[in-house]
């Protein structure tokens, strides 16, 4: 903001990096408002993620870690940075790429090509689990049956479980996902807007599911989306950015737009929202549903059957409405949003983000 | 004025899925802001909206600037450092637009 | 889902009855407040409660039933064409925005439903007692206009009941109106200001009987009256705040201080604000974005303090009787009843507050229950001990009033207590929040202590970034802010002094 006054033509007065005071600054960091050159940016970007990993004890030496890889910007940068940090700081981790093939022609098959290239570029073994193998249905087939209503609900439920199944197949200790600070701030906001205290209290945790079979962690919890994209651009990382064909306007959500508008006024607001979400977590003592296991597939579930099994049963019996729009307040509202989601604008941006919570 | 424009992060979908556009923008083609002869980013955005964006311009612009969440680099430098809309453009400059709004 | 939010609405849905039926103790409160027991029960000995109530309910409508030419009956095929409440009249059609509920009511039922929400908030939180003297903050906008109208209707009814009662044992609460003139800060043409204030005078003088005193006070009068440079100092103070959001927020706090000043100087013991659900929903989100002072050790942040019906942190307790009303409803009532509003101080906002407000409006259009959900979410946070009317131990106050207060007040175990508050925004602070400052450089102890006593949010968006200009900023603050910093937290000040001493000591130790 304060720089605007003396806006000079870029070539006349090259702005120097405020870290090295030598090279020309290449970007303004949203977190600190510092102007910084490319080389220094790489260093502080990686260093900050290293600090987050160390301070939160995200990994232990010798662990096998799966990186949820969609081929998109966040997971691509995560795979690159984690393999760099693992090498440089001797984390002693065995890293794997884990992808889910939903079976969406023209979308996932293309992005999987990106992940396959990443496998070679970063030398990380890749495991792909497909909806077809796990559930007997591709997303294309499901959409034929259920139409474009609620398809994101199906996809989300199956993806979450598919990642856990894949992680179990890889025998990893933990799953790292590419959720960034913007994503988490958006989730905090959405949970306030929906009155979902239980999720509000969970969504800011950097590690979740520690009591479950495979904990998940978010090394990018404090990393701005802008910096991730800048990093990927400067490093010329190979990532895929096309919207899902079944939810073409999913990224038009109000909440995301609000976060971005907010970032323009006050960049630190994104971290402040995360902080507020954490405070909400401490201050509320809402009862969590008790976790059991699904009688059918053994997956963690608070009900008799897990959500995926209920949805699958509906598909197999030709009753795709089964399990949609349950009686609990949140889910009702959820399905309302999804209903409106097609064509109309909805509040959330990533019904179909590749690796959702 | 010869410029290279690059659209990434999904924005290419708004211009016939072509990522790199080598364009010739003549300052007299457009009404220049501020009465100077110089072409600034504000003018370029108006030009792009009129000449390159084939669909859903609201995905690219909001008001008279890019939509929040679209990163802009002029010669590989964040436009937040060069004055954003007031950044002056010169011959053979490379302007990159990247959307951060697509899934990942 | 909304059972607890709109009791009157759901009840009428079920029973199709006109009468609002809260529990009998609420009836008693209502009766006491309006002095209605004396009148309506004359002649009937027993089982009169619901009857009294019904009588009064009809009266309500008499009072409120101002002719409403804008109400046009419409034939609405899918709605059976009748008001869902009275099943007699046509639901209203309204050119402006409306919520789903509104569209199904007739004008009269809509009005009594809205007044019902107000009355329920007033009675169940013991906001107003017969002995009270109430100051209504009137900005000229729709929310405070309705607040003023409803308070007037309540007072008017109490007066009627008082006049009709035999023993005249219960007094009628007093009502005054305050308008804060901010024209010295905003560049509004002088004739517009004069016209606006004239309109406000007309509005207030039309709300009789009883007559209400109007206090029009310029915001710069926060500075002591003997100095003429109040508005200059105020301008300088606001100019010293770089952040657009911080500037707006500071003005909000100063406005509250002005209202408090008017109230305490004129013997009012309640301050009524027109904050509605929509406004509070916006506050929830802005507070989330700004991280208004949080308790670091596990008590949640100060947001729950701001969104309750009652806030007695201030010298004169603040009450929000329209907490359960949507701005769309309030706008509609103004439109229906021709309640005149006065638009002054209208500034385009480029701040976070403005952004949040348009975001919430958008959300509300997408889902008419969104604002309620937001407020309910934040409502799950634990409130503070001051979120209730302080208990009265005064023999002049009727026993029933005292009993009622005890019944409806929060139990101490359900709330958080806090002894210290940010001197700027009055957010409750925790000890850990106070101890978080280090590196005292300035020798100007007062201003250093002041900034150390502020909450993190005010430190970020209001106080100057450069520590050397904090002294200047401090010198521009009006007396009430400085006073609050000094006396409001004497304990913390001594604590802070200790801290500063420690800092200095440990610094010098490090050097040796």
């Amino acid at each position: 903001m304060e720089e605007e006054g003396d806006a000079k033509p870029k070539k006349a007065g090259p702005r120097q990096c405020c870290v090295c005071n030598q090279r020309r600054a290449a970007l303004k960091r949203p977190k600190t408002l510092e102007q910084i050159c490319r080389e220094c940016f790489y260093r502080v970007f990686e260093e900050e993620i290293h600090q987050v990993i160390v301070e939160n004890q995200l990994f232990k030496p010798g662990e096998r870690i799966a990186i949820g890889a969609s081929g998109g910007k966040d997971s691509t940068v995560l795979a690159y940075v984690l393999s760099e940090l693992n090498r440089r700081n001797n984390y002693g981790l065995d890293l794997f790429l884990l992808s889910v093939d939903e079976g969406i022609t023209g979308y996932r098959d293309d992005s999987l090509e990106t992940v396959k290239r990443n496998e070679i570029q970063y030398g990380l073994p890749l495991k792909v689990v497909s909806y077809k193998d796990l559930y007997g249905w591709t997303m294309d087939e499901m959409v034929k049956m259920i139409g474009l209503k609620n398809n994101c609900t199906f996809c989300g439920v199956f993806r979450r479980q598919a990642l856990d199944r894949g992680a179990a197949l890889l025998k990893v200790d933990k799953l790292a996902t590419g959720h960034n600070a913007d994503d988490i701030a958006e989730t905090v906001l959405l949970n306030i807007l929906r009155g979902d205290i239980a999720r509000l209290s969970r969504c800011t945790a950097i590690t979740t599911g520690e009591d479950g079979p495979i904990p998940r962690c978010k090394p990018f919890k404090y990393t701005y989306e802008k910096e991730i994209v800048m990093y990927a651009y400067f490093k010329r990382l190979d990532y895929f950015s096309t919207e899902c064909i079944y939810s073409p306007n999913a990224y038009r959500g109000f909440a995301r737009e609000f976060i971005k508008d907010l970032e323009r006024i006050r960049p630190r607001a994104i971290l402040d929202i995360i902080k507020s979400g954490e405070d909400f977590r401490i201050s509320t003592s809402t009862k969590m549903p008790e976790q059991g296991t699904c009688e059918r597939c053994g997956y963690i579930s608070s009900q008799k059957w897990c959500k995926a099994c209920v949805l699958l049963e509906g598909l197999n019996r030709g009753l795709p409405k089964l399990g949609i729009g349950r009686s609990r307040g949140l889910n009702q509202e959820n399905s309302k949003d999804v209903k409106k989601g097609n064509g109309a604008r909805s509040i959330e941006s990533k019904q179909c983000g590749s690796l959702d919570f | 004025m010869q410029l290279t424009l690059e659209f990434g992060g999904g924005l290419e979908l708004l211009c016939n899925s072509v990522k790199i556009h080598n364009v010739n923008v003549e300052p007299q083609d457009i009404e220049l802001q501020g009465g100077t002869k110089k072409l600034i980013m504000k003018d370029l955005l108006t030009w792009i909206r009129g000449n390159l964006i084939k669909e859903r311009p609201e995905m690219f612009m909001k008001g008279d600037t890019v939509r929040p969440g679209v990163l802009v680099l002029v010669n590989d430098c964040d436009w937040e450092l060069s004055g954003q809309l007031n950044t002056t453009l010169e011959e053979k400059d490379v302007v990159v637009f990247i959307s951060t709004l697509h899934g990942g | 889902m909304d059972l607890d939010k709109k009791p009157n609405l759901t009840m009428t849905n079920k029973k199709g009855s006109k009468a609002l039926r809260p529990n009998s103790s609420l009836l008693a409160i209502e009766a006491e407040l309006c002095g209605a027991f004396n009148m309506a029960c004359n002649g009937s000995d027993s089982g009169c409660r619901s009857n009294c109530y019904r009588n009064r309910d009809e009266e309500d409508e008499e009072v409120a039933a101002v002719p409403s030419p804008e109400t046009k009956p419409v034939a609405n095929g899918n709605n059976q064409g009748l008001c869902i409440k009275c099943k007699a009249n046509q639901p209203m059609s309204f050119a402006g925005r409306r919520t789903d509920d509104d569209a199904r009511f007739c004008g009269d039922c809509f009005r009594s439903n809205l007044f019902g929400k107000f009355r329920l908030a007033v009675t169940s939180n013991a906001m107003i007692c017969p002995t009270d003297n109430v100051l209504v903050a009137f900005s000229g906008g729709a929310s405070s206009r309705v607040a003023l109208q409803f308070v007037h209707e309540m007072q008017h009814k109490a007066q009627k009941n008082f006049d009709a009662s035999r023993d005249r044992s219960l007094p009628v609460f007093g009502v005054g109106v305050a308008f804060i003139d901010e024209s010295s800060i905003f560049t509004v043409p002088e004739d517009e200001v004069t016209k606006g204030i004239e309109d406000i005078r007309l509005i207030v003088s039309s709300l009789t009987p009883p007559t209400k005193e109007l206090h029009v006070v310029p915001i710069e009068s926060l500075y002591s009256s003997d100095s003429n440079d109040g508005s200059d100092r105020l301008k300088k103070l606001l100019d010293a705040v770089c952040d657009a959001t911080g500037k707006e927020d500071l003005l909000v706090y100063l406005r509250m201080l002005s209202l408090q000043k008017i109230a305490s100087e004129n013997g009012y013991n309640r301050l009524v604000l027109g904050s509605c659900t929509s406004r509070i929903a916006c506050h929830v989100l802005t507070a989330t974005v700004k991280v208004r002072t949080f308790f670091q050790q596990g008590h949640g942040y100060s947001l729950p303090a701001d969104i309750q019906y009652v806030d007695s942190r201030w010298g004169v307790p603040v009450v929000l009787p329209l907490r359960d009303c949507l701005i769309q409803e309030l706008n509609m009532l103004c439109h229906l009843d021709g309640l005149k509003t006065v638009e002054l101080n209208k500034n385009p906002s480029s701040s976070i507050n403005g952004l949040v407000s348009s975001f919430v409006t958008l959300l509300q259009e997408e889902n008419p229950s969104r604002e309620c959900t937001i407020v309910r979410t934040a409502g799950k946070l634990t409130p503070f001990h001051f979120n209730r009317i302080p208990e009265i131990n005064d023999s002049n106050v009727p026993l029933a009033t005292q009993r009622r207060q005890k019944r409806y007040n929060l139990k101490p175990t359900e709330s958080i207590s806090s002894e210290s508050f940010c001197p700027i925004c009055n957010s409750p602070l925790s000890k850990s929040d106070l101890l978080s400052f280090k590196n005292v450089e300035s020798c100007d102890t007062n201003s250093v202590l002041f900034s150390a006593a502020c909450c993190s949010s005010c430190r970020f968006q209001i106080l100057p970034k450069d520590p050397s200009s904090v002294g200047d900023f401090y010198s521009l603050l009006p007396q009430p802010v400085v006073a609050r910093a000094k006396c409001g937290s004497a304990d913390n000040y001594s604590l802070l002094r200790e801290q500063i001493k420690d800092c200095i000591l440990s610094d010098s130790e490090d050097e040796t």
Side-chain angles (χ1 to χ4, degrees):
Chain A
M1 268 163 273
E2 51 272 38
E3 279 102 323
E4 244 101 279
D6 57 349
K8 279 187 243 165
K10 68 219 174 279
K11 277 155 199 166
R15 293 160 172 280
Q16 277 187 347
C17 169
C18 70
V19 177
C20 65
N21 281 321
Q22 286 175 345
R23 287 175 293 260
R24 186 172 76 106
L27 81 151
K28 186 161 159 188
R29 298 199 68 199
K31 203 183 282 190
T32 58
L33 305 181
E34 290 167 327
Q35 34 190 323
I36 191 167
C37 72
R38 243 193 252 192
E39 286 73 16
C40 291
F41 169 59
Y42 295 153
R43 217 185 50 246
V44 295
F45 181 87
E46 291 157 9
E47 181 59 25
E48 280 178 11
I49 292 158
H50 172 62
Q51 285 307 324
V52 168
I53 291 172
V54 172
E55 279 165 22
N56 296 280
Q57 299 171 315
L58 296 188
F59 310 118
K60 292 191 197 78
E63 275 186 337
R64 292 164 68 89
I65 305 295
I67 300 164
S70 66
K73 57 183 166 39
D74 299 306
S75 58
T76 302
V77 174
L78 181 65
Y80 177 84
V81 171
L82 274 191
S83 59
E84 279 292 307
L85 291 177
N86 188 32
R87 195 172 17 242
R88 198 183 303 158
N89 299 298
N90 301 315
Y91 288 168
L93 301 175
D94 277 331
L95 297 174
F96 301 88
L97 296 174
L98 173 58
S99 285
V100 177
D101 181 1
E102 294 96 341
I104 304 176
T105 318
Y107 170 63
R108 190 50 93 212
D109 44 0
D110 289 356
S111 61
L112 277 176
E113 289 309 312
T114 315
V115 183
K116 282 173 189 161
R117 285 197 298 276
N118 292 343
E119 177 185 19
I120 299 161
Q121 288 155 354
Y122 313 148
L124 301 176
L126 166 69
K127 171 81 188 167
V128 181
V129 287
S130 73
Y131 281 10
K132 184 74 181 172
D133 293 346
L134 290 177
Y135 309 111
W137 293 75
T138 65
M139 204 54 211
D140 287 340
E141 290 162 351
M142 284 186 228
V143 170
K144 265 189 207 134
M145 168 100 148
I146 61 179
L148 286 171
K149 241 186 200 176
N150 295 328
N151 57 325
C152 294
T153 311
F154 279 79
C155 197
V157 169
F158 287 136
R159 189 185 314 109
R160 186 176 168 85
Q161 204 186 82
L163 275 173
D164 277 339
R165 298 264 188 102
L169 289 172
L170 282 171
K171 299 192 174 60
V172 293
D173 301 292
K174 215 170 250 177
L175 177 64
T177 60
H179 294 103
N180 58 43
D182 298 48
D183 293 334
I184 296 169
E186 185 191 1
T187 310
V188 169
L189 206 60
L190 284 173
N191 286 326
I192 292 176
L193 299 184
R194 292 204 195 110
D196 191 342
I197 292 283
R199 262 176 233 226
L200 185 53
S201 64
R202 245 181 294 150
C203 69
T204 55
I206 193 162
T207 305
T208 52
E210 280 161 300
D211 47 345
I214 296 159
R216 298 180 174 211
C217 66
K218 312 179 193 99
F220 285 169
K221 178 181 170 186
Y222 302 104
T223 309
Y224 277 70
E225 191 162 58
K226 174 182 172 180
E227 296 201 348
I228 292 172
V229 174
M230 283 290 192
Y231 189 88
Y233 173 76
F234 287 141
K235 288 255 180 188
R236 301 284 186 258
L237 297 185
D238 184 4
Y239 73 90
F240 180 81
S241 53
T242 304
E243 46 202 306
C244 170
I245 53 169
Y246 293 133
S247 176
N249 294 329
Y251 69 110
R252 297 171 69 178
F254 296 144
R256 190 55 150 216
E257 189 154 343
F258 171 70
I259 298 271
K260 291 292 177 192
D261 284 336
L262 203 56
E263 183 184 9
R264 200 170 262 186
I265 297 180
R266 182 186 289 183
R268 80 167 222 172
I270 289 180
L271 292 180
D272 284 347
I273 292 175
I274 298 178
K275 177 72 202 149
S276 288
E278 287 169 347
D279 285 337
F280 251 107
R281 179 178 69 207
I282 302 164
S283 59
T284 51
S285 53
T286 313
K287 273 179 238 139
M288 299 294 175
E290 257 177 61
Q291 293 285 4
T293 50
C294 170
E295 285 182 10
R296 206 174 188 218
C297 69
Y299 187 72
I300 43 160
S301 168
S302 54
Q303 311 285 320
K304 197 173 147 199
W305 282 12
C306 70
K307 188 78 183 152
C309 283
V310 174
L311 292 178
L312 200 57
E313 178 72 6
L315 283 171
N316 291 334
R317 285 170 47 191
L319 300 165
K321 287 273 170 0
L322 213 65
I324 296 288
R326 286 168 300 177
S327 53
R328 278 162 51 203
L330 154 82
N331 294 309
Q332 262 180 345
E333 204 175 330
N334 243 339
S335 57
K336 216 187 290 165
D337 285 339
V338 173
K339 252 180 260 157
K340 288 187 170 182
N342 271 312
R345 287 163 43 117
S346 81
I347 56 169
E348 54 191 314
S349 70
K350 279 196 174 177
Q351 295 145 321
C352 267
S354 30
L355 296 169
D356 229 326
F357 289 92
Chain B
M1 188 182 287
Q2 293 291 328
L3 296 172
T4 303
L5 308 180
E6 195 182 323
F7 295 85
L11 285 177
E12 65 275 15
L13 298 173
L14 307 182
C15 13
N16 292 336
S17 296
V18 179
K19 282 202 175 199
I20 296 173
H21 300 252
N22 288 304
V23 298
N24 189 11
V25 181
E26 287 310 322
Q28 58 265 32
D29 289 354
I30 38 183
E31 252 182 71
L32 289 181
Q33 308 282 327
T36 54
K37 280 273 182 219
K38 284 179 191 161
L39 183 75
I40 58 170
M41 277 302 296
K42 196 176 162 82
D43 308 315
L44 181 65
L45 288 180
T46 316
W47 187 87
I48 290 174
R49 178 184 229 159
N51 294 277
L52 284 185
I53 303 290
K54 301 292 180 216
E55 52 178 300
R56 291 178 290 165
E58 73 279 6
M59 294 284 103
F60 178 62
M61 288 184 70
K62 183 174 178 180
D64 63 354
T65 186
V66 292
R67 187 186 149 113
V70 173
L71 304 181
V72 184
L73 295 106
V74 179
N75 297 330
D76 271 0
C77 175
D78 188 354
W79 82 332
E80 288 185 44
L81 296 178
S82 57
Q84 294 176 320
L85 286 174
N86 295 317
T87 310
T88 313
L89 293 169
E90 287 166 25
E91 194 68 29
K92 301 235 158 52
D93 273 354
V94 180
V95 184
V96 179
F97 300 93
I98 314 170
S99 170
T100 64
L101 296 166
H102 282 76
Chain C
M1 227 162 98
D2 281 341
L3 275 178
D4 48 358
K5 204 87 259 177
K6 298 177 183 165
N8 44 357
L9 195 70
T10 38
M11 269 179 272
T12 50
N13 278 344
K14 273 187 216 137
K15 306 202 172 171
S17 137
K18 265 182 137 178
L20 192 80
R21 289 179 205 271
N23 60 50
S24 58
S25 51
L26 286 188
L27 295 183
I29 292 162
E30 164 70 12
E32 181 196 290
L33 184 56
C34 297
F37 254 13
N38 304 328
M39 185 192 75
C41 295
N42 283 345
S44 88
D45 309 313
S46 59
C48 67
R49 280 195 166 172
S50 60
N51 282 334
C52 294
Y53 198 76
R54 190 157 292 178
N55 288 343
R56 270 201 321 287
D57 204 73
E58 280 152 19
E59 250 175 51
D60 272 358
E61 277 158 30
E62 264 171 48
V63 174
V66 188
S68 48
E70 272 91 349
T71 317
K72 283 175 282 179
V74 278
N76 196 344
N78 55 10
N79 218 357
Q80 289 104 42
L82 289 177
C83 165
I84 54 155
K85 191 176 177 190
C86 63
K87 304 254 176 14
N89 297 331
Q90 299 283 348
M92 56 191 171
S93 129
F94 185 63
R97 286 211 46 76
R98 61 183 184 199
T99 63
D100 291 347
D101 285 345
D102 300 340
R104 300 183 321 226
F105 283 121
C106 68
D108 288 346
C109 290
F110 165 75
R111 192 177 290 111
S112 65
N113 175 55
L114 198 60
F115 186 77
K117 288 200 236 183
F118 164 83
R119 188 174 49 193
L120 190 67
V122 170
T123 53
S124 57
N125 295 285
M127 285 181 189
I128 304 175
C129 304
T131 49
D132 283 344
N133 201 16
V134 174
L135 181 67
V136 180
F138 182 37
S139 70
S143 299
S144 53
R145 179 67 187 86
V146 173
L148 178 57
Q149 184 70 23
F150 283 174
V151 169
H152 164 67
E153 284 172 19
M154 199 168 244
Q155 189 201 24
H156 180 69
K157 196 159 38 139
Q159 182 68 48
K160 264 176 37 187
N161 292 336
F162 176 80
D163 293 343
S165 69
R166 278 192 222 119
D167 55 358
R168 307 205 165 186
S169 61
L170 281 173
V172 177
F173 64 92
V175 176
V177 183
F179 173 77
I180 307 293
D181 175 7
E182 291 164 25
S183 53
S184 61
I185 308 166
F186 301 112
T187 43
V188 189
E190 200 172 325
D191 51 330
E192 265 180 50
V193 180
T194 323
K195 174 79 172 52
I197 292 175
E198 195 44 46
D199 287 344
I200 284 168
R201 278 192 202 287
L202 283 173
I203 292 169
V204 175
S205 62
S206 73
L207 294 173
T208 50
T211 49
K212 293 162 185 63
E213 192 179 347
L214 172 65
H215 310 266
V216 177
V217 175
I219 188 155
E220 61 268 24
S221 66
L222 264 182
Y223 292 93
S224 56
S225 49
D226 53 289
S227 65
N228 295 324
D229 62 346
S231 70
D232 286 344
R233 282 178 70 192
L234 183 60
K235 268 186 208 151
K236 273 189 201 152
L237 179 73
L238 290 169
D239 285 344
V241 182
C242 321
D243 188 280
T245 315
K247 202 188 291 263
E248 273 183 26
D249 289 352
L250 177 59
L251 192 57
V252 171
Y253 310 139
L254 294 178
R255 197 178 296 141
M256 173 59 96
L257 283 178
S258 302
L259 290 167
Q260 287 289 330
K261 192 168 176 236
I262 300 171
S264 60
E265 284 174 359
N266 295 280
Y268 294 98
N269 67 340
R270 294 286 180 276
L271 177 59
V272 173
L273 300 188
S275 312
C276 59
T277 307
S278 319
R279 181 73 178 272
I280 296 169
C282 287
H283 184 78
V284 171
L285 294 191
T286 51
T288 304
V289 170
K290 296 173 198 164
V291 202
R292 288 279 303 284
T293 58
F294 41 86
F295 281 2
Q296 289 168 341
Q297 301 303 325
H299 287 114
Y301 50 123
S302 72
L303 169 61
D306 305 335
I307 57 165
Q308 312 298 326
Y309 293 96
V310 176
D311 180 356
S312 47
R313 253 179 294 185
W314 308 90
V316 177
V318 175
V319 296
L320 313 180
L322 298 183
R323 186 180 179 269
D324 300 326
C325 305
L326 297 171
I327 187 68
Q328 292 90 340
E329 296 176 308
L330 302 175
N331 282 331
M332 170 122 74
L333 186 76
C334 287
H335 182 88
L336 276 179
D337 288 358
L339 301 181
K340 198 169 157 48
T341 54
V342 180
E343 288 300 334
L344 274 172
N345 305 340
K346 214 179 170 186
N347 264 35
S349 168
S350 59
S351 71
I352 289 178
N353 304 327
L355 183 64
V356 166
S357 159
S358 44
F359 178 56
V360 169
T361 307
L362 202 65
L363 292 172
Q364 181 72 10
E365 280 169 19
E366 171 242 16
N367 181 341
S369 62
R370 189 66 72 195
E371 290 172 346
C372 294
T373 311
I374 296 171
V375 175
R376 205 170 45 240
T377 309
K380 288 178 183 158
L381 293 164
T382 316
F384 288 81
H385 66 104
F386 51 74
N387 288 128
R388 60 192 168 93
I389 297 289
E391 297 201 358
I392 325 158
N393 288 314
D394 183 345
S395 54
N396 292 330
V397 175
L399 268 176
T401 308
Q402 294 187 27
R403 244 182 286 126
R404 155 160 52 96
Q405 282 212 332
K406 289 214 169 64
R407 187 177 307 137
Y408 287 100
N409 272 339
L410 300 160
K411 290 171 189 68
T413 47
E414 289 166 353
S415 60
I416 305 168
S417 55
S418 168
E419 294 81 37
S420 52
F421 300 91
C422 170
I424 297 180
C425 70
N426 213 7
S427 280
L429 302 171
S430 68
K431 289 251 155 59
S432 52
D433 211 348
L434 286 169
L435 304 187
S436 61
F437 84 102
K438 275 181 192 124
N439 300 332
V440 183
E441 290 160 12
S442 165
C443 48
D444 179 2
T445 336
N446 274 339
S447 65
V448 170
L449 282 173
F450 178 80
S451 65
C454 289
C455 73
S456 53
S457 177
C458 288
R459 260 181 256 163
F460 172 75
Q461 63 169 22
I462 293 179
L463 290 184
K465 296 274 172 300
D466 178 7
S468 61
S469 8
V470 173
D472 290 343
F473 182 84
Y474 180 79
S475 69
L476 289 168
L477 286 167
Q479 177 57 23
V481 180
V482 176
R484 246 209 349 238
K486 277 188 176 153
C487 71
S489 51
D491 291 348
N492 298 319
Y493 263 60
S494 54
L495 200 69
L496 287 172
R497 270 180 214 283
E498 289 299 311
Q499 283 289 312
I500 293 177
K501 240 165 51 190
D502 289 354
C503 280
I504 296 165
L505 275 179
S506 55
D507 281 354
S508 52
E509 275 166 13
D510 285 347
E511 281 164 12
T512 52

